[in-house]
Amino acid sequence: MHRANSSSLTPRYFILNGIPGLEAAHIWISLPFCVMYMIAMVGNCGLIYLVSHEEGLHRPMYYFLALLSLTDVSGCTSFVPNMLCIFWFSLKKIDFNACLVQMFFIHMLTGMESGVLMLMALDRYVAICYPLRYSTILTNTVITKVGLATFMRSVLLMIPFTFLIKRLPYCRGNLIYHTYCDHMSVAKLSCGNVKINAIYGLIAAILIGGFDMFCISVSYTMIIRAVLNLSSSDARHKAFSTCTSHICAIVITYVPAFFNFFTHRFGAHTIPHHIHILIANLYLLLPPTLNPIVYGVKTKQIREGVIKLFFKEKAMLTMK
């Protein structure tokens, strides 16, 4: 009987309202998001192409960077085109199952990005603490295995979200005050018990974000100890400089994530709802936009690779 009631109270579609209270400004708000999406797509696709075609970048550090870029491209594409359709054409309807798919991919790719940052921290740890064994420890086989393990962890931890949402009865309408299908935003439309959803969301955040931050902290503690033991100041500076891009990526990713997490849970009644939504969108879009810029500016090998590739393409066009 309960199953029949639950299925009869499942809406055929949801309506994504965009940013509540700022509907009149949707066109203007869409412009910076559109620009950021274009920068993210060009920058990350360019990095993936560069790493795959430039032999000098066929090293573990750059393989992990390419994996981060692939994750960022997928993450952006999972919600930005739909968000722009809401802003530009008022296409707000989204099928119930399509909403679940979008929710799964957004949360899964967010978890994947955290995992890749953790792998990049371990890569820096091995490179600085065990430089002579770097290439033998991080072989292509090992990189493939840890990449797949990170992907599977994220997939397996996010699959339950879809079942937790699908089991709920919905009797509070189908209007979602958001630009994409977020787990708790959808769950709040239910008249059922969402306590399990909230608890599992917290568990998943701890298992992914908490574990990854712990591994990153331990890796950098060991790195700092190893670098401080170096006798030469030039060697210390060179070792630290190889980590600056990754540290910037960690800050760019985790600061908006923590801000979004804490404002969502503890600032619900003090921070305006449209600020929540803007923060949630920036939290997903800011890292993919800034990561290629940071690595392009901070990493000498990538700058040289871009210049080399540019002149190579220019020479080929001249020959034609």
Side-chain angles (χ1 to χ4, degrees), residues 25-87:
H26 272 179
I27 294 293
W28 297 107
I29 294 170
S30 71
L31 297 179
F33 283 123
C34 183
V35 171
M36 290 172 72
Y37 179 59
M38 291 170 65
I39 293 171
M41 292 299 290
V42 171
N44 285 292
C45 289
L47 271 176
I48 294 168
Y49 180 84
L50 189 65
V51 171
S52 62
H53 284 75
E54 187 60 48
E55 288 188 13
L57 300 179
H58 290 178
R59 294 169 54 194
M61 173 184 171
Y62 302 108
Y63 289 147
F64 287 129
L65 178 58
L67 183 58
L68 182 67
S69 293
L70 180 62
T71 304
D72 283 341
V73 166
S74 305
C76 282
T77 307
S78 67
F79 83 100
V80 174
N82 189 61
M83 178 180 70
L84 294 177
C85 286
I86 294 169
F87 289 160

Side-chain angles (χ1 to χ4, degrees), residues 46-220:
L47 271 176
I48 294 168
Y49 180 84
L50 189 65
V51 171
S52 62
H53 284 75
E54 187 60 48
E55 288 188 13
L57 300 179
H58 290 178
R59 294 169 54 194
M61 173 184 171
Y62 302 108
Y63 289 147
F64 287 129
L65 178 58
L67 183 58
L68 182 67
S69 293
L70 180 62
T71 304
D72 283 341
V73 166
S74 305
C76 282
T77 307
S78 67
F79 83 100
V80 174
N82 189 61
M83 178 180 70
L84 294 177
C85 286
I86 294 169
F87 289 160
W88 292 343
F89 310 113
S90 293
L91 298 175
K92 300 182 178 183
K93 281 187 181 181
I94 183 169
D95 182 77
F96 180 81
N97 290 320
C99 185
L100 293 185
V101 171
Q102 186 189 52
M103 180 191 72
F104 168 76
F105 276 104
I106 287 173
H107 291 304
M108 184 273 288
L109 291 166
T110 303
M112 181 70 183
E113 178 156 25
S114 176
V116 175
L117 287 173
M118 180 264 291
L119 294 178
M120 294 173 82
L122 296 177
D123 166 77
R124 292 298 82 208
Y125 164 71
V126 174
I128 292 171
C129 296
Y130 303 98
L132 299 178
R133 297 171 56 195
Y134 179 61
S135 58
T136 57
I137 293 173
L138 290 176
T139 60
N140 289 346
T141 303
V142 171
I143 292 168
T144 304
K145 286 180 178 179
V146 296
L148 283 173
T150 304
F151 173 73
M152 290 307 300
R153 178 194 68 165
S154 191
V155 168
L156 293 174
L157 284 172
M158 296 307 158
I159 283 176
F161 280 127
T162 57
F163 294 104
L164 288 171
I165 288 294
K166 205 160 188 176
R167 73 182 177 87
L168 294 171
Y170 294 88
C171 54
R172 293 178 181 169
N174 62 348
L175 183 62
I176 301 174
Y177 292 99
H178 216 304
T179 55
Y180 59 84
C181 290
D182 174 69
H183 172 233
M184 287 311 296
S185 296
V186 177
K188 284 176 183 177
L189 296 179
S190 172
C191 50
N193 186 359
V194 297
K195 198 171 184 180
I196 296 173
N197 295 65
I199 292 170
Y200 185 77
L202 188 60
I203 291 170
I206 292 169
L207 289 176
I208 293 179
F211 176 78
D212 292 344
M213 281 300 295
F214 173 76
C215 291
I216 290 169
S217 301
V218 171
S219 296
Y220 272 99

Side-chain angles (χ1 to χ4, degrees), residues 222-244:
M222 301 299 289
I223 287 169
I224 291 168
R225 286 179 59 186
V227 170
L228 292 177
N229 286 331
L230 295 173
S231 56
S232 168
S233 59
D234 289 337
R236 286 196 295 270
H237 180 266
K238 186 178 179 181
F240 274 128
S241 66
T242 64
C243 299
T244 53

